[in-house]
Amino acid sequence: MRIAVIGGGPGGLYFAALAKQLDASHEITVWERNRADDTFGFGVVFSDETLGGIEHADETIYAQMEREFARWDDIDVHYRGEVTTSGGHGFAAMSRRRLLELLQQRCVGLGVDLRFCTMAPDVDELAATYDLVIACDGVNSAVRARYADTFGPSLELRRCKYMWLGTDKVFDAFKFYVQETPYGVMQIHGYPYDANGSTFIVEMNDRVWERAGFDVFADHPFAPGESDEKSVALVCELFADILDGHQVMTNNSKWINFATVRNERWRHGNVVLMGDAAHTAHFSIGSGTKLAMEDALALVACLHEQPDLDAALEAYEAERRPVVLSTQRAAQASLEWFENLGQYTDQEPSQFGFNIMTRSRRVTYDNLRLRDPEFVARVDEWFARHEAARGNGTGEVGPPMFQPFRLRGLELVNRVVVSPMDMYRAVDGLPTDFHLVHLGGKALGGAGLVMTEMVCVSDIGRITPGCTGLYTDEQAERWQRITDFVHGESAAKIGIQLGHSGRKGSTKLMWEGIDLPLDEGNWPVVAPSPLPYRPGLNQVPRELTADDLTAIEAEFVAATRRADAAGFDLLELHCAHGYLLSSFISPLTNQRTDEYGGTLENRLRYPLQVFAAVRAVWPADKPISIRISATDWHDDGITAADSVEIARAFAAAGADIVDVSSGQVTPDESPQFGRSYQTPFADRIRNEAGIATMAVGVISSYDDVNSILLAGRADLCLLGRAHLYDPNWTLHAAAEQDYSGPAAQWPDPWKAGARRPQSGRTEGPKPRLELIRRGVPGTAHRRWRPGSYQ
């Protein structure tokens, strides 16, 4: 094949070396507009996983890189005058300039044609005269721009400002310095890359950047290669204690807003994107060089394995895209964490250290416990003491999910909540034996709190004919049968979620067609404004009058009284998912011109009015939760910033905790699904509005629950599908973590099954084959010392 490579960075060079190594007959030309010894940046970091791939793909390159590596295992978090260290992470870094030299030498030795200080020919010309064109021309890719209609690129510019610098201070580990300055919180990401230097990245929120006056220094364009020396001087002044007399090095160092690059497709005919041209991921979770070299390895392998070019390029994208998307999700979580760093600066050092380690959701409680059990044990001890001081428990140390939690007079034995889930099995609003078994079974399964589905306050307030209600005394009696069972047979508490369907009512059962209108037996629906959920499909709701609002408020009050009489321990007001109270809050569904429409304050007026009426008749020692949609996932809808104000308003009115969900307000939403994808909203509300939160949304493992709680992102975790899969989820989580205590009480008849049964053949006890026992090694806390790895 004749292969053209546009861009002589590590990704392009590594591709050329690997491809030429596999087939010396390939004619490969690399064009690089800069000189061979030009490079921007200082060091590059590799994970053990990536190094394993490089080692097996080209042992020559790996051996040369290995001789250059600075290696270490520790991450140090410098915060509030303390240093929190977590070990066992495994880093390898080297000079970017030296990496380029090694790759260039390897390419020359293999016969690759390298052309420096040379612009590549027009890409159309290359595509016509070469079999394959690799576009690895960086984040500002001209090739991507040329074929934008095919690639479908999007560039998301983020809020933080950062600058790449170097220093001759050689760090001995990965360093996070989080520093309060007169202008706000700034942070340093630092790591060594050889015996003489370290990468030194300074980053801050855009508002902090402006308050510090950096915007004045950066108010003009800089020449290529020119650094912002005035900003660098101020950085040296602000971080003089860290630098400790050492020099700061510049290399095209100027302020940048990170751009997340995504492309709908990576291929245009025989032109394919690679590295930053195809995708970027925030530097806080790894190196763009690492991703580009992984791309190169995969592309070369696919070209070698597949029968033709089309199949190879399809296989390359199919293989790499899921990996990149996963990396970008983690990077997004990490960069948003740093953008919102200020909301965590009230945390104590132990919790802050755990929080920063787990910010991307890739590193978790269990993962850290495997890497550094002593670190996790220290944070567990801190959490137990901290929660006991807040009135939650006695300070007994255990997994965070098994710490008790108190709201008013309600004490939960653990932090696990069975999420509200509509079952659609009611008859005329009456809960049935199905609900008894469903909710009673989850209570027996060990959850601290079991929540009902949305229980409707009127017959026309139901979503479907199969939804439960609490608008008759008979319904209350049926509910009491369930609450009596939960209280009599388990340590769990039970909460009721009250709501009104609004414009999303009079629809089919979920498995018959979610949100689709009934074929017969329709009832009228109501809403703040006459806007149907799906125009032309769902009913046009009647706009509520003042008398209607008074009547519905009275229905909520009546249902609240019945809920108390039925024995519920907690009440949740459903103000999410586009149902009636939610549709008042969102500007997408509320277009009123009276006192209940317009500003967020006005749109909150009726939900707060209902809340006040409910709070007035709900016993003072029983808590009330509010479920909200923290975002509508729509450009014109509720935002995460709005959700903080919504939470503050309900907190001021007397709400005890916010159940933070999202979306389902409009069918035109574009949610960003992923593991624990709604937790950042709960995190922000908890740490900005100062009210307890419940996290919900694709939380499936006890590892996720422990991570969320210990990092201070939420106080309780709701799990839905996990409990449908395993009604005894909490008890099994306790068994898996070797926890036995009051927070996970097996019913007496079940205690014989409190440990996982053996399955299959297991190895018996091992004979002693050591004269001297070596003991159990502790965590490896290896630091970088030039000339050694110790």
Side-chain angles (χ1 to χ4, degrees):
M1 294 178 66
R2 297 189 75 222
I3 302 173
V5 179
I6 304 174
L13 292 171
Y14 190 48
F15 169 86
L18 292 179
K20 193 72 171 175
Q21 175 187 264
L22 281 181
D23 189 341
S25 68
H26 288 322
E27 178 189 326
I28 304 176
T29 305
V30 179
W31 283 271
E32 171 54 52
R33 64 180 181 177
N34 295 306
R35 296 176 303 179
D37 59 351
D38 280 346
T39 184
F40 302 108
F42 296 91
V44 293
V45 184
F46 296 96
S47 67
D48 289 341
E49 183 181 39
T50 301
L51 289 179
I54 293 173
E55 180 180 9
H56 293 102
D58 189 326
E59 294 180 0
T60 301
I61 288 178
Y62 178 78
Q64 292 172 337
M65 291 172 62
E66 189 176 35
R67 287 193 288 271
E68 307 284 339
F69 282 147
R71 287 185 178 270
W72 71 95
D73 288 327
D74 283 357
I75 299 175
D76 291 343
V77 181
H78 297 251
Y79 167 73
R80 283 196 187 176
E82 296 187 23
V83 181
T84 302
T85 298
S86 172
H89 296 275
F91 292 100
M94 66 184 298
S95 160
R96 179 178 171 86
R97 183 186 300 275
R98 185 65 181 133
L99 174 63
L100 286 170
E101 288 174 356
L102 295 178
L103 291 171
Q104 290 166 11
Q105 291 167 9
R106 180 65 169 153
C107 285
V108 170
L110 290 167
V112 176
D113 182 3
L114 301 182
R115 302 183 184 182
F116 293 100
C117 300
T118 307
M119 296 295 293
D122 184 83
V123 66
D124 286 338
E125 177 187 336
L126 291 176
T129 55
Y130 282 77
D131 300 304
L132 175 63
V133 180
I134 312 293
C136 44
D137 52 341
V139 66
N140 297 313
S141 169
V143 175
R144 187 184 64 225
R146 170 71 67 87
Y147 302 131
D149 288 346
T150 300
F151 293 129
S154 68
L155 276 73
E156 181 185 4
L157 212 60
R158 301 303 304 188
R159 286 175 24 227
C160 274
K161 297 282 187 177
Y162 71 98
M163 179 186 288
W164 287 91
L165 297 164
T167 175
D168 61 0
K169 179 173 182 176
V170 181
F171 296 128
D172 59 358
F174 199 105
K175 300 283 189 176
F176 288 116
Y177 291 94
V178 178
Q179 195 144 315
E180 286 282 1
T181 75
Y183 315 106
V185 183
M186 301 180 186
Q187 65 264 15
I188 296 294
H189 309 244
Y191 57 87
Y193 57 80
D194 63 18
N196 303 303
S198 300
T199 294
F200 190 83
I201 306 170
V202 59
E203 184 182 28
M204 66 199 72
N205 186 286
D206 52 356
R207 295 184 298 275
V208 175
W209 182 79
E210 289 175 358
R211 285 197 294 268
F214 288 118
D215 58 328
V216 176
F217 304 147
D219 66 348
H220 64 281
F222 291 90
E226 181 186 4
S227 295
D228 182 350
E229 298 294 349
K230 290 182 179 179
S231 288
V232 173
L234 181 52
V235 166
C236 292
E237 179 184 328
L238 290 168
F239 297 102
D241 56 333
I242 296 172
L243 292 167
D244 193 25
H246 288 271
Q247 297 298 308
V248 163
M249 300 173 286
T250 60
N251 181 356
N252 196 36
S253 301
K254 52 183 74 81
W255 293 110
I256 307 169
N257 289 81
F258 186 82
T260 300
V261 175
R262 300 179 180 90
N263 284 276
E264 294 176 8
R265 287 164 294 281
W266 295 355
R267 175 193 178 189
H268 173 82
N270 65 339
V271 179
V272 65
L273 301 177
M274 199 173 74
D276 284 354
H279 48 71
T280 59
H282 193 253
F283 57 82
S284 61
I285 71 154
S287 160
T289 299
K290 163 190 170 302
L291 281 174
M293 292 179 71
E294 289 175 352
D295 281 353
L297 193 158
L299 180 54
V300 172
C302 290
L303 289 168
H304 186 70
E305 294 165 354
Q306 299 299 322
D308 55 49
L309 182 62
D310 284 344
L313 297 184
E314 288 176 9
Y316 161 67
E317 186 165 347
E319 177 181 326
R320 284 297 291 165
R321 183 175 288 278
V323 176
V324 168
L325 290 176
S326 175
T327 301
Q328 287 187 316
R329 282 194 296 269
Q332 187 80 1
S334 181
L335 74 84
E336 288 177 0
W337 193 93
F338 282 110
E339 285 179 342
N340 299 306
L341 177 62
Q343 73 189 34
Y344 304 117
T345 52
D346 289 334
Q347 290 186 336
E348 294 183 32
S350 289
Q351 185 170 49
F352 185 89
F354 182 87
N355 196 352
I356 199 171
M357 300 292 178
T358 59
R359 68 194 181 279
S360 73
R361 303 197 288 273
R362 274 193 164 181
V363 176
T364 62
Y365 177 88
D366 268 7
N367 186 269
L368 283 173
R369 189 166 59 173
L370 181 65
R371 297 171 188 236
D372 191 345
E374 296 94 342
F375 169 72
V376 173
R378 288 193 300 271
V379 186
D380 277 344
E381 290 171 6
W382 171 85
F383 188 71
R385 291 194 309 270
H386 175 77
E387 290 302 294
R390 296 175 63 206
N392 297 318
T394 62
E396 181 181 349
V397 180
M401 65 184 288
F402 295 120
Q403 293 294 338
F405 186 68
R406 180 179 292 276
L407 287 169
R408 297 195 184 222
L410 173 67
E411 183 166 359
L412 305 178
V413 296
N414 61 52
R415 306 295 184 99
V416 179
V417 182
V418 176
S419 192
M421 293 176 283
D422 288 322
M423 293 291 108
Y424 309 103
R425 293 300 297 271
V427 178
D428 295 327
L430 292 166
T432 64
D433 286 348
F434 185 94
H435 296 87
L436 173 65
V437 174
H438 165 62
L439 297 170
K442 305 303 182 293
L444 291 174
L449 177 64
V450 177
M451 291 297 301
T452 69
E453 61 196 78
M454 185 175 91
V455 178
C456 306
V457 297
S458 67
D459 57 347
I460 69 165
R462 291 175 297 160
I463 308 167
T464 76
C467 290
T468 57
L470 195 49
Y471 45 87
T472 72
D473 292 339
E474 185 182 4
Q475 291 164 351
E477 291 169 4
R478 293 285 189 94
W479 282 117
Q480 185 169 357
R481 180 178 175 230
I482 296 171
T483 62
D484 285 347
F485 179 88
V486 170
H487 294 145
E489 298 292 343
S490 77
K493 305 298 182 184
I494 183 166
I496 184 170
Q497 186 187 73
L498 290 182
H500 187 297
S501 60
R503 71 174 187 163
K504 294 177 76 175
S506 192
T507 59
K508 296 179 179 180
L509 305 184
M510 178 180 66
W511 46 87
E512 295 175 351
I514 192 166
D515 295 326
L516 295 179
L518 293 170
D519 294 328
E520 56 184 21
N522 282 287
W523 56 83
V525 297
V526 295
S529 301
L531 303 170
Y533 182 65
R534 285 192 176 94
L537 183 63
N538 296 97
Q539 287 185 56
V540 176
R542 180 173 60 81
E543 182 172 313
L544 291 164
T545 66
D547 288 343
D548 294 328
L549 297 179
T550 300
I552 291 173
E553 179 185 322
E555 290 169 350
F556 272 97
V557 169
T560 300
R561 288 196 170 102
R562 289 191 174 100
D564 179 37
F568 285 101
D569 303 297
L570 173 145
L571 184 146
E572 179 166 280
L573 197 61
H574 201 334
C575 299
H577 299 170
Y579 299 120
L580 184 66
L581 297 181
S582 167
S583 63
F584 270 91
I585 298 172
S586 174
L588 298 175
T589 48
N590 183 348
Q591 296 182 2
R592 297 175 75 98
T593 57
D594 60 7
E595 69 269 31
Y596 296 111
T599 64
L600 178 59
E601 180 182 6
N602 282 358
R603 300 196 309 271
L604 276 167
R605 192 181 305 277
Y606 185 64
L608 286 170
Q609 186 177 311
V610 171
F611 174 85
V614 165
R615 180 71 269 180
V617 298
W618 186 246
D621 64 334
K622 290 185 178 183
I624 296 186
S625 167
I626 301 295
R627 171 166 273 202
I628 67 169
S629 285
T631 175
D632 290 340
W633 300 112
H634 188 286
D635 289 343
D636 300 320
I638 289 293
T639 66
D642 292 332
S643 73
V644 176
E645 298 308 313
I646 292 166
R648 284 190 175 123
F650 278 109
D656 299 288
I657 191 167
V658 181
D659 175 358
V660 187
S661 188
S662 72
Q664 301 180 53
V665 171
T666 171
D668 299 324
E669 66 183 6
S670 299
Q672 298 173 8
F673 288 116
R675 189 171 120 255
S676 306
Y677 74 107
Q678 294 174 156
T679 298
F681 303 122
D683 184 358
R684 181 171 182 177
I685 288 170
R686 184 181 191 272
N687 288 291
E688 286 192 23
I691 185 173
T693 60
M694 294 192 251
V696 63
V698 199
I699 301 170
S700 303
S701 70
Y702 62 78
D703 188 20
D704 287 335
V705 174
N706 284 327
S707 300
I708 290 166
L709 297 172
L710 197 53
R713 297 177 186 130
D715 299 274
L716 299 173
C717 288
L718 293 92
L719 294 90
R721 290 177 176 86
H723 278 112
L724 296 179
Y725 180 77
D726 180 4
N728 299 328
W729 186 90
T730 306
L731 295 180
H732 291 157
E736 293 287 342
Q737 297 173 85
D738 294 320
Y739 172 82
S740 60
Q745 299 178 30
W746 287 76
D748 288 338
W750 291 4
K751 285 183 177 176
R755 288 290 177 266
R756 177 194 288 273
Q758 288 189 359
S759 59
R761 180 179 179 275
T762 59
E763 295 292 337
K766 300 286 187 182
R768 176 168 176 154
L769 298 175
E770 290 181 334
L771 180 62
I772 305 296
R773 292 191 189 277
R774 301 184 186 279
V776 179
T779 302
H781 284 288
R782 290 179 287 190
R783 319 283 285 189
W784 168 237
R785 300 284 188 269
S788 66
Y789 181 29
Q790 52 182 275

